[in-house]
Structures are given as C-alpha cells and as structure tokens.
Amino acid sequence: GNATLIWFGNAQGYTIKQDGIFREQLLRISADGSQLSSVEDACCGALAEAYFIGSSDNLRQFARVKLHTATILPEHTLNQKSTVTAHQTLILRS
C-alpha cells in the first residue's frame, strides 16, 4: 500500500504536521501547505478509487469523490453547451 509522510520547512528546519502516516497517495499540496489533494488507490478488486481534498489534520476534510476504476475519461471536451428546460421543480446534483 501507499504511505505518505510530509515534512514542512520553516526557519528552524523541518517539522511534521501530521499525527501519523497517510495511507493515501498525495497528488498536490497548496503553496502554503494548508490544502492537500490525495487519492486512495483501489486495491484487491475494488471498483472505485477515492479522491480527497483536505488539510494535514484531515485529508478528507473538504471533499470526497469516488471514481469507478473502469471509467474512461473523454479525450476532448464537449464543445456544445447542454440545455435543460424544466416545467416543474428540478433538483440537480453531481
């Protein structure tokens, strides 16, 4: 599995802000270190990978998205805008 430990540099040297080792793989750290994005890879036949946005205190603090491992992302973005017309209450979600 993955193991991630982060050292943050400061005037006195390096410090570790997390309590333990993350099982997730880090993808991006914001410039000030306040926000991290990570992925928990699917293993053992799992059907989805989980992506997270959070802080060093809680990697899953702000957002969590699961992506099916068989998902094929489009090579090109859609050039046409989609329109939806509703004649009654419409509840949207993503």
Side-chain angles (χ1 to χ4, degrees):
N2 293 316
T4 301
L5 184 61
I6 309 166
W7 288 270
F8 290 92
N10 61 26
Q12 290 77 34
Y14 290 98
T15 60
I16 299 172
K17 296 182 180 181
Q18 66 196 67
D19 294 333
I21 295 174
F22 298 140
R23 293 181 319 169
E24 293 83 354
Q25 180 180 22
L26 286 184
L27 301 174
R28 182 180 178 277
I29 302 173
S30 64
D32 63 359
S34 65
Q35 197 172 83
L36 312 169
S37 60
S38 61
V39 61
E40 187 177 287
D41 294 326
C43 71
C44 308
L47 297 177
E49 293 178 330
Y51 290 81
F52 308 103
I53 298 175
S55 66
S56 60
D57 295 328
N58 181 354
L59 282 183
R60 303 169 184 205
Q61 181 176 2
F62 304 124
R64 176 185 302 190
V65 174
K66 287 192 174 185
L67 184 63
H68 196 276
T69 55
T71 299
I72 299 172
L73 298 176
E75 291 182 23
H76 305 287
T77 58
L78 188 62
N79 291 332
Q80 298 176 359
K81 302 272 185 207
S82 297
T83 12
V84 176
T85 304
H87 300 286
Q88 55 185 337
T89 302
L90 180 65
I91 300 172
L92 301 175
R93 67 179 192 177
S94 62

